[in-house]
Amino acid sequence: MKNEKTEILKDWRLHAVVLVLVAATEAIGQISFKVGAGVILLLPMLYAFFLGLGLYFTPLIKEKQAKNAEPLIVLGVTLLIAKIGVTIGPQIEAIIAAGPSLLLQELGNLGTILFALPVAIFLGFKREAIGMTHSIGREPNVGLIMNKYGFDSPEGRGVMAIYIFGTVFGAAFLGLISGFLATITPLHPLSFAMASGVGSGSMMAAASGSLVASFPEMEAQIVAFAGASNLLSLSTGLYASIFIGLPLTEKLYSIMMKRKEKKAADKGGDIHA
């Protein structure tokens, strides 16, 4: 194990490629453009993902570098969770002042379990469905799944699939849907500002940017409510996943799979009869 860690640290090719990718993508910066009432926000993380994927098919990155990069993902997520924990403490008064409406919004994340888990099982996913549907699959949840099941587990592959999907499409989707719904429904724009804080900085920025574009006179309020909501999702979302989301997903997965297997057995018995 010690030799593996030493090998990763000495992999100069991997570290050099990562350094160049980070420098290049940060130099590009954020790019945003309007699509109707929505705003699509492109972030450096998105460029880094596609550039890194493309480099895998070049002589610069070989299978050795790809394998060495796996434990570094867990390390990066661990540092991010530590940063989130440090951020929560000084903001505790702001969280309390935000009121029960912001605190109760975390229950909305359970919708990913109740709606997405049956679809995932219907599509034929096995335990990957647990990692995919226990949350929206952002950084703290990736760390939770990696810590509990491991990177190479079915659950780990599931959460990483959703993390990548959310990175590529999440900000664009929320940027479009928030501005669109806020302009065609009777709900107050601040309710959509609160809903935009799902625990992802890029998704919150895209959603709140779309709302500001639609309601420029409420810019300060929208930014404040979106920021407080996102802070709450970051601070309470991980605990909600640990104590409610993940156990609930495990239980529902077990029940649904037993019913699915029973139906398959009954159909097999009918055909045999």
Side-chain angles (χ1 to χ4, degrees):
M1 186 68 179
K2 186 176 181 180
N3 290 336
E4 289 181 5
K5 291 181 178 179
T6 304
E7 184 180 351
I8 293 171
L9 293 174
K10 291 183 177 179
D11 193 346
W12 63 268
R13 186 192 296 266
L14 173 62
H15 298 302
V17 169
V18 170
L19 178 62
V20 171
L21 274 178
V22 170
T25 54
E26 287 295 329
I28 296 172
Q30 296 184 9
I31 299 175
S32 61
F33 53 92
K34 293 186 65 175
V35 177
V39 176
I40 294 181
L41 188 65
L42 304 181
L43 298 171
M45 184 188 298
L46 184 62
Y47 320 144
F49 170 75
F50 283 110
L51 289 174
L53 181 63
L55 286 174
Y56 179 76
F57 300 100
T58 69
L60 288 173
I61 294 293
K62 300 179 181 178
E63 187 174 348
K64 175 186 175 183
Q65 279 73 47
K67 192 69 177 176
N68 286 341
E70 289 183 4
L72 295 179
I73 295 175
V74 180
L75 176 62
V77 172
T78 302
L79 292 173
L80 179 63
I81 293 175
K83 178 186 176 183
I84 292 170
V86 172
T87 304
I88 293 170
Q91 300 296 328
I92 192 67
E93 292 184 3
I95 293 174
I96 295 173
S101 60
L102 283 175
L103 290 171
L104 292 173
Q105 60 129 14
E106 192 57 44
L107 296 176
N109 284 342
L110 299 180
T112 62
I113 305 169
L114 302 177
F115 291 101
L117 182 60
V119 174
I121 292 176
F122 175 77
L123 293 175
F125 288 100
K126 300 296 184 183
R127 290 194 64 84
E128 292 88 350
I130 295 174
M132 295 170 70
T133 64
H134 82 286
S135 68
I136 64 167
R138 303 321 298 160
E139 290 86 349
N141 302 101
V142 172
L144 171 63
I145 294 297
M146 298 306 176
N147 182 66
K148 185 174 178 63
Y149 301 102
F151 186 85
D152 292 325
S153 65
E155 296 85 354
R157 292 192 293 271
V159 75
M160 283 306 299
I162 293 302
Y163 178 76
I164 293 170
F165 189 87
T167 300
V168 177
F169 298 105
F173 174 78
L174 283 185
L176 290 172
I177 200 69
S178 61
F180 177 72
L181 291 178
T183 53
I184 67 168
T185 64
L187 297 176
H188 197 280
L190 292 183
S191 65
F192 289 98
M194 287 190 286
S196 68
V198 295
S200 167
S202 60
M203 294 183 189
M204 182 208 72
S208 59
S210 177
L211 291 171
V212 169
S214 301
F215 304 94
E217 72 282 359
M218 301 180 66
E219 179 177 359
Q221 290 175 290
I222 289 171
V223 172
F225 272 78
S229 174
N230 203 57
L231 177 63
L232 277 171
S233 292
L234 285 171
S235 58
T236 63
L238 180 59
Y239 300 107
S241 294
I242 292 172
F243 296 112
I244 302 175
L246 194 54
L248 179 61
T249 308
E250 285 270 16
K251 185 65 177 177
L252 290 178
Y253 173 82
S254 177
I255 294 172
M256 292 179 185
M257 287 304 294
K258 285 180 181 178
R259 288 182 178 176
K260 185 176 181 180
E261 290 168 1
K262 186 177 183 300
K263 287 182 179 179
D266 291 341
K267 287 183 179 179
D270 291 341
I271 293 172
H272 183 71

